[in-house]
Amino acid sequence: MSGEDAPVVEAPAPAPAPALGEPMDIMTALQLVLRKSRAHGGLSRGLHEAAKVIEKHAAQLCVLAEDCDQADYVKLVKALCADHNVSLITVSSAKTLGEWAGLCKIDSEGKARKVVGCACVVVKDYGEESEGLHIVQEYVKSH
């Protein structure tokens, strides 16, 4: 121990919410939609809950992580969404999706800790109208 501290590597902070008038990208909009949906109790997380909601025709949107390593899982979710006409959006990381779905602890500084990965999230109730919701709906219509 020479008295020098080891270099601290900080993870990049999530993009702050855009100011009024600035265009919002699809991932920021999706994060806001998932947060509002979770607050209103309209979010189903995981394959079992997601499959039940999709089968009951109550699903409005499905979000799937691209880095899911189980091909059968991805194939099942995509097939269920196609059969029941549910819109599907993919995100890059299961950890990111887990954080957006509330599968983490928030520390005193407001940063997510102990994030659990989540490969599939289904929105059954959007909650309230927001700019993010309109952006997500426009994205779904165009893709």
Side-chain angles (χ1 to χ4, degrees), residues 53-134:
V53 171
I54 293 170
E55 286 287 326
K56 289 180 182 176
H57 298 284
Q60 297 182 13
L61 175 70
C62 182
V63 185
L64 183 66
E66 291 176 355
D67 65 348
C68 179
D69 56 351
Q70 297 185 8
D72 291 341
Y73 188 108
V74 174
K75 194 185 304 183
L76 175 65
V77 171
K78 287 183 178 180
L80 282 172
C81 289
D83 286 348
H84 297 285
N85 297 324
V86 177
S87 303
L88 181 67
I89 295 179
T90 58
V91 295
S92 59
S93 168
K95 290 281 188 186
T96 303
L97 186 57
E99 182 179 341
W100 292 353
L103 297 174
C104 62
K105 299 284 184 188
I106 306 296
D107 66 4
S108 60
E109 298 169 359
K111 295 184 179 172
R113 304 281 183 210
K114 297 184 180 180
V115 179
V116 177
C118 183
C120 182
V121 171
V122 171
V123 177
K124 54 189 174 185
D125 178 19
Y126 287 118
E128 57 195 48
E129 294 274 328
S130 66
E131 180 187 354
L133 176 58
H134 296 298

